[in-house]
Amino acid sequence: MTTLRKNIAALGERKAEVRALKAQLAEARAAGDGAEQEVLARLVPARAAHDSLAGIVALQKTIKGLWVPASSAFQRCETQVIALATQLQMLSVGREEGDGG
């Protein structure tokens, strides 16, 4: 796996981490139990790491030949695969519920 792909995967993880910490911060503010500072202390470096990695990924994407955006045909196929996987999952859930009889 290329460094760019690893960085894109890591960026997704960091984005999820920042999103979760933002949700925790909102909950802490709503609860008013003083945990807000603790969550904020974790959010600031997580956001900085995300922003730094986002800059690196953006720079790597400018290198010719290292990054080729997905074609519209690939995107259509990927969407179709996701839709079919969702249908299969729904069918298997329905089948499991029916077997419980």
Side-chain angles (χ1 to χ4, degrees):
M1 185 183 291
T2 65
T3 303
L4 175 59
R5 287 185 185 177
K6 288 179 185 175
N7 285 344
I8 290 173
L11 184 61
E13 292 170 6
R14 298 210 184 192
K15 187 175 184 178
E17 179 185 6
V18 168
R19 187 179 303 129
L21 286 169
K22 284 182 179 180
Q24 289 177 14
L25 181 62
E27 290 172 3
R29 285 182 176 161
D33 59 4
E36 181 179 341
Q37 291 302 318
E38 176 192 336
V39 176
L40 196 56
R42 292 185 301 163
L43 176 61
V44 170
R47 185 180 289 167
H50 170 270
D51 293 346
S52 175
L53 191 55
I56 291 169
V57 168
L59 181 63
Q60 287 178 324
K61 285 183 175 181
T62 64
I63 299 171
K64 206 172 208 174
L66 187 60
W67 172 256
V68 179
S71 68
S72 59
F74 176 83
Q75 290 174 341
R76 281 192 309 271
C77 289
E78 187 176 37
T79 303
Q80 190 175 16
V81 166
I82 292 169
L84 290 171
T86 303
Q87 288 177 347
L88 282 173
Q89 186 178 13
M90 288 187 337
L91 288 172
S92 67
V93 168
R95 181 174 271 195
E96 289 172 6
E97 290 174 357
D99 291 342

